[in-house]
Amino acid sequence: MLKIQSKFTAYMTVLLTVLMLSGCGSEEQKASIQVEASYPTAIPKGQLPTAIRPTHYTLDLQIVPADADFGGEVAIDLMFDVASDFMWMHGQDMTVSSANLTLADGKVVPVTYEQVDPTGIVKLTFAEKAPRGKAQLNIAYRGKVSDALQGIYRVKDGDHSYTYTQFEAIDARRAFPGFDEPGFKVPFDVSVSVPTDMEAIGNAPEISRADLGNGFTKMTFATTKPLPTYLVAFAAGPFDVVEWADMPTTAVRDRAVPLRGIATKGKGEKLTYALDNSRKIVEALEDYFQIPYPYAKLDILAVPDFAYGAMENAGAITYREQLLLLDDNSSLGQKKSYMSVHAHELAHQWFGNLVTPVWWNDIWLNEAFATWMSNAALDNIMPEHKFRQNMLRGSLGAMGGDGLVSARQIRQPIESNDDIVTAFDGITYQKGGGVLTMIEAFMGKEQFKAGINNYMKRFAFKNATSNDFITAIGEKSDNVPMEKIREAFNSFLEQPGIPYLDVKTATQDGKTVVTMTQSRYLPLGSEGSTDKTWIIPVCVGYGMNGEEHKYCTVLESKESSFTLPETGELDYLLPNLNGTGYYRYALGAEGWSQLFGNQSRLSENSMLSLTDSFAAAMGAGKMDFADFVKVAPTMVASESYRVATSPMSDLSFMYYKVARDEAEKAKISALSRKLYKSKLEKIGFDAKADEEGEVINLRGPLVGHLAFTGQDATVRAKLVDMAKAYVGYGTDGQIHEDKVDSNLISRALIVAVEDLGPEFGRNVLQHYLASTDGTARGRLLRAVASTNDAALGAEVLELVLSEKMRANEVGRALYTLMYDDDQRDAAWAWFQDNFEAVKARIPGFTQAAIAGLAGDYCTLEKRDEVKAFFEPRVASIAGGARSLAQTLEGIELCAAKVAFHQDKLTKFLSAQ
Ligand SMILES: [Zn+2]
């Protein structure tokens, strides 16, 4: 990126100089100077040059959803800042039948179209030089329809075929020749012709439809607002189109917005819940931004096979159908996922769509903001679901990846398409969301909000960079100087890792002096350097003389000290009040025990951050399992299910990875039951009517933990009964969604497949194959892939390469098998034999995940084996190099953690 940018800047400087000179030179001078300012001749490896750029597209497509290719004509209005006889743009795997350039004077110049690079770089050569100024490029072509969920792709659902699109980040170039980068943001006029019994959906409202008389109907959509190519979308097929009530005018919007839901044939009814909840989320976002929803209509599309959770296409958002098709039988988890993903995609209509990053290095401006904004908005309209707490859990979760030496930084330079692919990770979304929470707390909520409004207004329908954002919010800050905000932001955006604060207190003249020493947090076995500092906005909470206090400051150097204003004895010191800071801390034994001893005085988010820092101390080898067992009951006793369930992952790690034998496992199971059984008894295994969400959210993890790590026979037996009832096992053989607790059924099916053996597992497999319901298929597949039976595991593996398994289920099947101790080696061997075939089923943009498939191994021997297999192949996997580096590092760290804890665990357990 730096290289490309500097070359680019140099070129722009030449151009500017030329333009300035040309004002006062003769005609000859101008001509000779312009030759110097030539358009770059080398194939662009990063961003396209901007000296020839689009100002508008007209796109006309002919689509038959079952077909393997499609027809298209594109007219691109261009602006030439330089005269040139060639230009660069994007286009991938297209057969071009005609191409020409119409100059401003009406002259038509033939054009030669040539794809010069496998990543879709195209060189257009003009039969004569095009002068500076306007021109229109016309290309007629045929493109390929993908079966791997990228570009324009087809899906069969039941008896019908459908076509959808997924363009982010760099797949619009498979659908039409163009400038496939976020910085080129212009209006589109799109029309789509489909067989007469079908519908087509676009970004903008349909304005006309014409029967073409040849069995096709042509649907034309209104001109869009300026869009980057990655936000363009269309869909075609015999849809159920559910017209919903328009979203009425609001205090910030003076026009109603039509709202529709689109599902495959027969599934429209299940869109009611999603449609019903859309308006309030849009209104909550408008209320926050004080800017109206930017587009003329909103369609939400439930897509049966989709590579991601959802995609924020302007005005036509696509979702994996599990997220949108809901009813009374849907689990709370599914409903919350819908809320959270829906709010995320709707937040993108502002963050990303209304204001778009100039380049992919700033994709955090889309993803971190949509993550943060969706939780902040949902927290306002449905506080009972505690979305702010969920967001903190998300950013604490991202610390797992951020502890790796191979972690990305949030704002990562983009040097290749691989960097674009790997930019969409937990660091961008969850760490980014956490950093925004920290800056919001630092500035104050109202000023941060005013800053965001400032930014949105200034860059509406345009592009912006991180710097633009920080300037816009800094302008609205009264209490924190702009430069402080910039420094703090940049120190978190532009370096990877988690700040680790070693916190010490001392008493001086009756007052408490707090000293914080920064380093980088690294887990046991890491070979990275801890020598790193950040500019960290810090707020500590403390109890003194029975009262609660708060003190905020900014840490600007490796070691910082500050004196708390009050005089008195400290009850406790909480180094990360409400968990708003993106950092971990270490305390002495007394500090920890004061905090856990005052649990009832701490907020839920303070406790979440505390339990994370405590677990991190164990992860760094500063404490062991015996220390953990001492405080675990305090955590489990918490009223918050998020805090109460936090010790589960360490118990499971000890059970699955560290325990040497069945006897040790049994002791860990007994400990799990001792910690959690009474908690389940208190709320009961069976759900009651009108239960609070927090109880439902506790029951699922409790039941799961007791069934797996706890190996609790009673819980497992109940789950087996539930699974039998679900699939009508031994009765009518039909699926009964209404007979089971949807919040527990996924776990129930896994337990039943393990306990009832392969016959039941094959029954589950048959149900999976017969179902067209994405939610049911997902849970049935995960259950059957959890089998202990080698032959059944092999049957699942064979399905991976069959069309009976949806492309978006391939990852789930393989990851589930690789997660299972009984199946891992067989699945790994099979994967190595079928690597190319598996890769072909996974969309390029999500392929990086396959380099992480072996990440559940935990020994150095396996690390070497995984490395030896992937190293010669990794270049062929988009984003594979980074994914592999992280996987190998993860395996090493796992091995180091086991080595550290194993003897200590044995000693501890033998004393029990
Ligand atoms: Zn997003």
Side-chain angles (χ1 to χ4, degrees):
M1 177 61 194
L2 279 174
K3 222 171 159 189
I4 294 158
Q5 207 171 37
S6 58
K7 197 167 75 188
F8 202 50
T9 315
Y11 160 69
M12 288 304 290
T13 315
V14 171
L15 181 66
L16 274 173
T17 318
V18 169
L19 294 175
M20 278 151 57
L21 283 172
S22 64
C24 55
S26 67
E27 286 302 315
E28 287 83 354
Q29 273 175 319
K30 278 187 205 170
S32 68
I33 291 165
Q34 259 172 30
V35 173
E36 281 174 35
S38 62
Y39 188 73
T41 52
I43 297 176
K45 288 293 176 200
Q47 290 170 273
L48 291 175
T50 55
I52 303 173
R53 60 181 179 278
T55 57
H56 174 269
Y57 291 76
T58 303
L59 184 59
D60 188 9
L61 297 160
Q62 302 87 46
I63 295 174
V64 179
D67 285 2
D69 66 349
F70 66 95
E73 286 171 44
V74 66
I76 310 177
D77 295 326
L78 297 172
M79 175 56 73
F80 284 69
D81 287 342
V82 287
S84 181
D85 56 6
F86 73 98
M87 62 176 270
W88 304 109
M89 61 188 287
H90 294 112
Q92 196 156 1
D93 301 339
M94 287 172 178
T95 311
V96 168
S97 54
S98 80
N100 58 62
L101 187 70
T102 306
L103 303 179
D105 62 5
K107 187 172 183 184
V108 178
V109 176
V111 171
T112 310
Y113 175 105
E114 187 195 359
Q115 185 180 333
V116 292
D117 182 283
T119 66
I121 306 288
V122 165
K123 183 176 188 181
L124 299 182
T125 309
F126 313 138
E128 63 180 75
K129 191 172 227 172
R132 286 172 57 189
K134 292 178 181 175
Q136 187 183 66
L137 177 68
N138 285 273
I139 299 177
Y141 61 98
R142 291 200 72 79
K144 288 182 188 156
V145 172
S146 160
D147 288 316
L149 316 181
Q150 58 191 350
I152 296 183
Y153 71 91
R154 59 183 173 177
V155 175
K156 203 159 181 236
D157 197 33
D159 297 330
H160 300 283
S161 290
Y162 302 84
T163 297
Y164 299 95
T165 57
Q166 171 58 39
F167 292 163
E168 193 179 26
I170 53 170
D171 285 322
R173 64 190 64 176
R174 296 174 190 271
F176 55 92
F179 295 72
D180 194 14
E181 289 176 7
F184 299 103
K185 199 175 173 186
V186 301
F188 283 74
D189 275 292
V190 178
S191 56
V192 181
S193 301
V194 294
T196 45
D197 56 344
M198 296 193 185
E199 290 291 328
I201 312 294
N203 294 97
E206 184 183 317
I207 48 169
S208 70
R209 71 170 65 191
D211 187 343
L212 300 180
N214 57 356
F216 281 81
T217 305
K218 178 170 175 172
M219 285 158 217
T220 303
F221 305 101
T223 307
T224 68
K225 297 282 187 190
L227 295 179
T229 47
Y230 82 89
L231 289 173
V232 173
F234 29 87
F239 294 117
D240 276 3
V241 177
V242 183
E243 308 266 353
W244 207 249
D246 286 3
M247 294 187 281
T249 59
T250 62
V252 291
R253 174 166 41 78
D254 60 7
R255 58 189 162 83
V257 175
L259 171 67
R260 301 187 303 176
I262 287 111
T264 56
K265 212 173 194 49
K267 292 182 177 175
E269 262 184 24
K270 279 195 150 189
L271 284 165
T272 303
Y273 184 88
L275 287 164
D276 209 23
N277 283 284
S278 293
R279 178 182 151 189
K280 67 181 173 194
I281 301 175
V282 170
E283 289 178 358
L285 292 165
E286 287 178 326
D287 181 54
Y288 186 89
F289 292 122
Q290 288 295 300
I291 292 176
Y293 171 76
Y295 303 105
K297 57 96 176 167
L298 173 61
D299 288 333
I300 54 175
L301 292 87
V303 185
D305 203 352
F306 191 70
Y308 312 101
M311 176 63 211
E312 68 265 22
N313 312 303
I317 311 176
T318 43
Y319 298 81
R320 196 175 270 222
E321 69 173 20
Q322 295 88 308
L323 286 163
L324 230 46
L325 302 179
L326 301 159
D327 59 23
D328 291 344
N329 293 321
S330 302
S331 68
L332 180 65
Q334 199 183 348
K335 286 178 182 158
K336 281 180 75 176
S337 296
Y338 150 76
M339 290 291 179
S340 167
V341 175
H342 197 30
H344 177 104
E345 304 309 324
L346 287 169
H348 270 314
Q349 304 303 308
W350 287 263
F351 279 119
N353 299 10
L354 180 64
V355 184
T356 308
V358 172
W359 180 236
W360 298 111
N361 60 345
D362 269 330
I363 193 62
W364 78 279
L365 282 173
N366 287 9
E367 300 304 347
F369 276 94
T371 302
W372 169 82
M373 187 70 241
S374 61
N375 285 298
L378 290 172
D379 199 63
N380 283 341
I381 54 174
M382 40 189 92
E384 70 278 16
H385 290 308
K386 303 193 175 184
F387 280 96
R388 286 246 179 197
Q389 281 84 334
N390 292 345
M391 179 157 56
L392 175 58
R393 285 225 292 186
S395 62
L396 294 175
M399 289 183 180
D402 208 11
L404 300 178
V405 176
S406 50
R408 284 175 60 253
Q409 60 207 47
I410 296 176
R411 191 170 194 272
Q412 180 82 23
I414 302 286
E415 283 162 8
S416 66
N417 287 342
D418 273 19
D419 290 332
I420 299 175
V421 169
T422 53
F424 292 80
D425 69 354
I427 296 298
T428 299
Y429 287 66
Q430 312 294 350
K431 177 180 179 179
V435 170
L436 288 173
T437 303
M438 178 167 68
I439 302 290
E440 184 196 26
F442 185 37
M443 284 179 63
K445 279 188 181 179
E446 285 309 313
Q447 296 198 2
F448 189 69
K449 184 172 159 178
I452 284 181
N453 176 269
N454 192 28
Y455 167 73
M456 287 285 163
K457 284 199 167 133
R458 183 170 301 164
F459 297 101
F461 298 112
K462 299 193 189 106
N463 295 88
T465 62
S466 288
N467 216 22
D468 294 330
F469 170 75
I470 295 166
T471 303
I473 63 159
E475 285 171 4
K476 295 290 170 185
S477 169
D478 299 334
N479 43 0
V480 187
M482 165 113 62
E483 274 323 297
K484 254 320 135 237
I485 297 172
R486 196 181 301 280
E487 281 171 18
F489 242 130
N490 286 339
S491 86
F492 281 86
L493 292 178
E494 303 202 336
Q495 60 181 347
I498 312 153
Y500 201 30
L501 303 183
D502 188 49
V503 180
K504 300 222 164 17
T505 55
T507 313
Q508 217 170 49
D509 306 329
K511 293 197 171 181
T512 303
V513 179
V514 182
T515 302
M516 295 184 161
T517 309
Q518 294 194 37
S519 62
R520 177 179 181 174
Y521 175 82
L522 292 174
L524 269 168
S526 174
E527 286 172 5
S529 163
T530 58
D531 187 18
K532 225 178 223 305
T533 54
W534 286 259
I535 310 290
I536 313 175
V538 161
C539 278
V540 302
Y542 53 100
M544 199 174 269
N545 311 323
E547 285 175 10
E548 316 311 321
H549 300 275
K550 165 182 173 178
Y551 185 87
C552 297
T553 183
V554 182
L555 307 187
E556 301 192 54
S557 52
K558 189 154 184 69
E559 190 178 297
S560 315
S561 292
F562 51 91
T563 305
L564 301 178
E566 291 80 9
T567 309
E569 196 166 333
L570 203 59
D571 307 331
Y572 67 87
L573 177 83
L574 176 69
N576 193 351
L577 181 63
N578 296 321
T580 53
Y582 186 83
Y583 56 87
R584 285 172 162 161
Y585 52 86
L587 295 165
E590 198 193 344
W592 291 121
S593 94
Q594 284 176 339
L595 276 177
F596 282 109
N598 285 284
Q599 173 167 213
S600 61
R601 295 167 71 176
L602 309 183
S603 72
E604 183 171 8
N605 275 359
S606 292
M607 276 303 295
L608 283 170
S609 151
L610 163 61
T611 54
D612 168 76
S613 281
F614 188 81
M618 191 161 93
K622 293 178 192 292
M623 273 182 284
D624 62 23
F625 192 60
D627 300 309
F628 167 81
V629 170
K630 270 181 229 154
V631 296
T634 317
M635 299 186 212
V636 174
S638 169
E639 292 288 310
S640 154
Y641 83 84
R642 296 169 186 82
V643 176
T645 57
S646 62
M648 288 178 178
S649 60
D650 280 314
L651 285 163
S652 297
F653 185 82
M654 293 295 158
Y655 177 85
Y656 285 104
K657 301 289 188 201
V658 184
R660 283 177 213 269
D661 51 32
E662 291 305 316
E664 288 194 357
K665 279 186 159 188
K667 284 184 178 172
I668 298 168
S669 294
L671 183 62
S672 278
R673 293 196 297 272
K674 191 173 153 199
L675 282 167
Y676 285 111
K677 191 75 190 273
S678 61
K679 206 153 177 95
L680 178 61
E681 281 162 359
K682 207 166 142 196
I683 59 167
F685 180 91
D686 298 314
K688 294 161 201 66
D690 301 323
E691 244 172 6
E692 274 183 30
E694 296 293 284
V695 175
I696 300 171
N697 284 328
L698 172 63
R699 184 179 291 111
L702 270 184
V703 165
H705 185 76
L706 286 165
F708 299 111
T709 303
Q711 289 294 316
D712 185 277
T714 323
V715 169
R716 288 183 77 93
K718 285 188 178 180
L719 289 171
V720 167
D721 288 344
M722 184 183 288
K724 283 177 167 172
Y726 180 70
V727 294
Y729 189 65
T731 57
D732 63 357
Q734 303 295 311
I735 295 275
H736 297 279
E737 297 280 356
D738 53 340
K739 280 194 182 169
V740 299
D741 182 346
S742 57
N743 301 292
L744 298 180
I745 186 59
S746 293
R747 297 175 179 91
L749 284 163
I750 295 170
V751 170
V753 167
E754 286 177 358
D755 288 4
L756 297 178
E759 195 212 324
F760 182 80
R762 288 203 173 78
N763 184 291
V764 170
L765 182 59
Q766 290 313 312
H767 280 290
Y768 159 75
L769 293 171
S771 174
T772 58
D773 175 335
T775 305
R777 285 177 65 92
R779 63 169 72 114
L780 291 162
L781 175 60
R782 212 174 106 190
V784 71
S786 301
T787 179
N788 302 326
D789 184 73
L792 185 53
E795 286 172 43
V796 176
L797 286 169
E798 289 312 312
L799 277 174
V800 166
L801 301 181
S802 143
E803 284 191 4
K804 292 176 190 165
M805 185 177 287
R806 293 178 180 176
N808 74 12
E809 295 169 343
V810 166
R812 174 181 293 240
L814 289 174
Y815 267 88
T816 307
L817 287 160
M818 291 293 291
Y819 181 71
D820 192 313
D821 285 344
D822 301 315
Q823 299 286 349
R824 190 174 301 125
D825 287 341
W828 171 232
W830 180 92
F831 170 77
Q832 293 177 78
D833 290 343
N834 293 280
F835 171 75
E836 288 299 337
V838 170
K839 190 158 78 85
R841 288 218 68 196
I842 298 180
F845 203 61
T846 56
Q847 272 176 11
I850 64 178
L853 209 52
D856 268 307
Y857 278 120
C858 195
T859 65
L860 296 181
E861 296 72 45
K862 281 294 176 186
R863 189 267 323 261
D864 293 344
E865 192 184 313
V866 171
K867 188 175 176 194
F869 175 77
F870 275 111
E871 259 180 0
R873 294 168 177 83
V874 78
S876 76
I877 304 170
R882 185 182 301 279
S883 173
L884 179 62
Q886 293 179 341
T887 303
L888 297 176
E889 192 182 345
I891 298 174
E892 284 165 32
L893 295 179
C894 182
K897 196 169 167 185
V898 169
F900 177 84
H901 285 292
Q902 213 155 35
D903 288 344
K904 293 183 168 61
L905 181 74
T906 301
K907 196 173 152 209
F908 172 80
L909 291 177
S910 51
Q912 295 299 296

